[in-house]
Amino acid sequence: TGIWSIFKIISDYSSYLSMGVTEGAGYEIPFSLGQDNRAKAERVKDLAFSVIFLSSLVASLILLVSTIILRHRYPVEVVAGLFILSIYIILDRLCGYYMMLLRARNNFSALSKSIIFDAVINLVLVLLLVRNYKIYGLYLAIIVVSVLNIIFVHVLVRYKVSLNLNFRGLPELVKVGFPITVIGFLDGILISVDRIMIAKMIGVVFVGYYSISIMAKNYIAKLSSFGTVLYPYILKDFGKRQNMEDIKKYAIIPPKVNAYILPLLLGLIFFIAPVFIKLVLPKFIPGILAIQILLIDMFFRSCSPQAAHFLVAIKEYRKIVITMVICIAISIVGNYILIKRGFGIYGVAWTTSISSLVYFLLLQIFALRYVMKLNAIAMFFLEIASPLIYSLTIIFLLEFYVKVPGVYA
């Protein structure tokens, strides 16, 4: 799996050859449907398919030729993996294309079924093949799962897709999609800089302790994510009249919903995580306090996506980029200072939480300034913060009066 993890990085970076076309199509299709311009939506769909397929084919051929030339320099399992990767790049891009199409057309029923299908098939094939055939079983499972996923989605939705070699609309698609790709790239740096700095400055062992909190973050992100569902609706609604008043609700209501629901869930995690880790994962006890600190990060991160989607809808990419650059700088500088002063992963957790607070505040201010006055924005922040402050007060009082011996030892 270590070999494939490295190969997966190659695959991920090869996606940049499409120059943001996938992201551009994810914007233009629902936007065009909102304008009731189905002809343009169809053209974008076919153009995106053509660019994604051809760019992945180019990446695959480059990798295949390189593997043939350099095959004598690497062990046989690495060479075999590179051959498999050259096939997987095409299949993975096509899977990603179909997922984008399902989201863009608001077909979340099919999207949910495809995700469940992928999880089940993945588990079954990994258990059957990897156990018996090790790394080669993994290679086979990856290809079979990808092929079955494409067939399953195609049979499920029966979308007609055509190879269109007329690239007249490509510059427009890249113009929309490339900035979104840059934002995604910066977001990847922002959410991984904590682990990178822990690994470099403290050690891989502490990345392991910290990883238990990353699992909790991913769990909370899935439970509280309105983004995947609401993003195409924002674009479709904005496409109708291109009036910001039509989409301001998306930047206001979801953060409020999360602000009232999350504190209860995060409070439960605060008290249950130490007990669970001590009983089930005792080797990760040093990571307990990091989880508890990162609950603040989880709260503000979960309240942030819709402001970003609002800004993407009105094509104010620059404001998102500025926000991310500022937060990356806060993370790097803060992590460096606190690690050097001996606070370890707990200092990193505090820096990450502060960075997420700044991320939330800046994005919301940038978005809401288009539809609300400053005093209304201040009241919005007060409403968002009140449930968190109340919960933190309750947690502090319970921690002060109710002692659980040996939890952090």
Side-chain angles (χ1 to χ4, degrees):
T1 57
I3 293 174
W4 185 254
S5 296
I6 296 171
F7 289 165
K8 191 68 172 64
I9 294 172
I10 298 173
S11 173
D12 292 341
Y13 276 103
S14 71
S15 66
Y16 292 118
L17 281 174
S18 65
M19 301 173 292
V21 166
T22 305
E23 291 76 11
Y27 181 102
E28 287 291 342
I29 290 173
F31 188 86
S32 300
L33 291 174
Q35 295 179 314
D36 203 26
N37 191 346
R38 296 186 178 277
K40 182 178 180 182
E42 285 297 308
R43 286 198 304 273
V44 170
K45 170 181 68 73
D46 291 339
L47 176 59
F49 171 77
S50 304
V51 173
I52 291 166
F53 175 72
L54 293 174
S55 63
S56 63
L57 184 62
V58 169
S60 175
L61 290 173
I62 291 172
L63 182 62
L64 189 61
V65 171
S66 301
T67 303
I68 293 171
I69 294 172
L70 301 173
R71 67 187 183 278
H72 299 300
R73 297 188 181 184
Y74 298 102
V76 64
E77 61 270 17
V78 172
V79 174
L82 289 171
F83 275 112
I84 292 296
L85 182 62
S86 66
I87 301 170
Y88 173 78
I89 284 174
I90 299 174
L91 297 175
D92 183 55
R93 291 295 94 79
L94 293 178
C95 283
Y97 169 78
Y98 268 115
M99 296 300 104
M100 177 276 295
L101 213 52
L102 293 176
R103 284 191 291 269
R105 293 189 169 189
N106 301 331
N107 196 343
F108 292 101
S109 173
L111 183 63
S112 301
K113 290 175 184 176
S114 65
I115 290 171
I116 294 170
F117 177 82
D118 173 70
V120 172
I121 293 297
N122 215 321
L123 179 63
V124 170
L125 288 178
V126 166
L127 289 175
L128 289 176
L129 296 175
V130 177
R131 180 180 296 179
N132 296 320
Y133 302 103
K134 307 302 181 186
I135 188 67
Y136 298 106
L138 177 64
Y139 292 157
L140 181 59
I142 287 165
I143 295 299
V144 173
V145 167
S146 299
V147 171
L148 290 178
N149 278 336
I150 294 170
I151 293 172
F152 179 81
V153 176
H154 181 73
V155 171
L156 190 65
V157 297
R158 296 288 182 179
Y159 288 152
K160 293 182 180 179
V161 179
S162 303
L163 193 65
N164 178 11
L165 298 180
N166 181 359
F167 299 114
R168 187 177 56 188
L170 181 59
E172 180 186 353
L173 210 54
V174 172
K175 184 179 178 181
V176 172
F178 187 73
I180 302 174
T181 301
V182 172
I183 290 168
F185 178 76
L186 291 175
D187 190 55
I189 295 174
L190 183 59
I191 63 176
S192 62
V193 68
D194 50 357
R195 281 162 287 173
I196 293 170
M197 294 190 73
I198 290 170
K200 289 287 185 181
M201 297 183 69
I202 309 176
V204 178
V205 171
F206 289 90
V207 176
Y209 296 145
Y210 193 81
S211 66
I212 199 76
S213 45
I214 301 301
M215 292 170 59
K217 283 177 66 172
N218 292 339
Y219 176 71
I220 294 297
K222 289 178 181 178
L223 287 179
S224 61
S225 177
F226 293 90
T228 302
V229 177
L230 292 182
Y231 179 59
Y233 286 99
I234 297 173
L235 298 174
K236 190 173 182 179
D237 285 354
F238 188 62
K240 291 175 183 176
R241 297 193 306 156
Q242 285 149 65
N243 188 331
M244 285 181 258
E245 288 293 323
D246 295 341
I247 60 171
K248 72 176 185 179
K249 61 186 176 183
Y250 294 109
I252 296 170
I253 297 174
K256 288 184 178 181
V257 172
N258 275 338
Y260 281 97
I261 293 174
L262 280 176
L264 176 60
L265 180 59
L266 298 178
L268 290 173
I269 293 175
F270 184 94
F271 290 109
I272 292 173
V275 179
F276 175 81
I277 291 172
K278 186 177 182 183
L279 294 176
V280 180
L281 301 167
K283 291 183 179 179
F284 291 90
I285 286 175
I288 291 174
L289 185 56
I291 291 180
Q292 293 176 322
I293 295 169
L294 283 169
L295 294 176
I296 299 171
D297 160 74
M298 297 175 207
F299 177 85
F300 287 112
R301 260 283 172 173
S302 298
C303 293
S304 300
Q306 272 58 57
H309 293 156
F310 179 94
L311 292 169
V312 167
I314 63 175
K315 297 184 179 178
E316 284 290 348
Y317 310 119
R318 186 171 57 89
K319 290 181 171 64
I320 305 175
V321 171
I322 289 170
T323 299
M324 288 184 163
V325 170
I326 290 171
C327 292
I328 289 169
I330 290 171
S331 296
I332 293 172
V333 174
N335 288 340
Y336 182 84
I337 291 171
L338 292 181
I339 289 173
K340 284 294 184 180
R341 293 192 175 186
F343 290 97
I345 61 173
Y346 312 126
V348 173
W350 274 116
T351 299
T352 302
S353 296
I354 292 169
S355 175
S356 293
L357 169 60
V358 173
Y359 182 79
F360 167 75
L361 291 173
L362 289 178
L363 282 183
Q364 289 294 156
I365 291 170
F366 282 142
L368 296 180
R369 280 291 287 153
Y370 288 101
V371 292
M372 294 169 69
K373 294 182 178 179
L374 282 175
N375 59 338
I377 295 174
M379 291 304 297
F380 169 82
F381 284 138
L382 182 61
E383 189 174 353
I384 294 291
S386 296
L388 179 64
I389 293 170
Y390 176 79
S391 300
L392 290 175
T393 303
I394 297 297
I395 288 171
F396 175 79
L397 292 174
L398 288 173
E399 276 285 283
F400 184 78
Y401 288 108
V402 182
K403 301 292 183 182
V404 182
V407 170
Y408 302 99

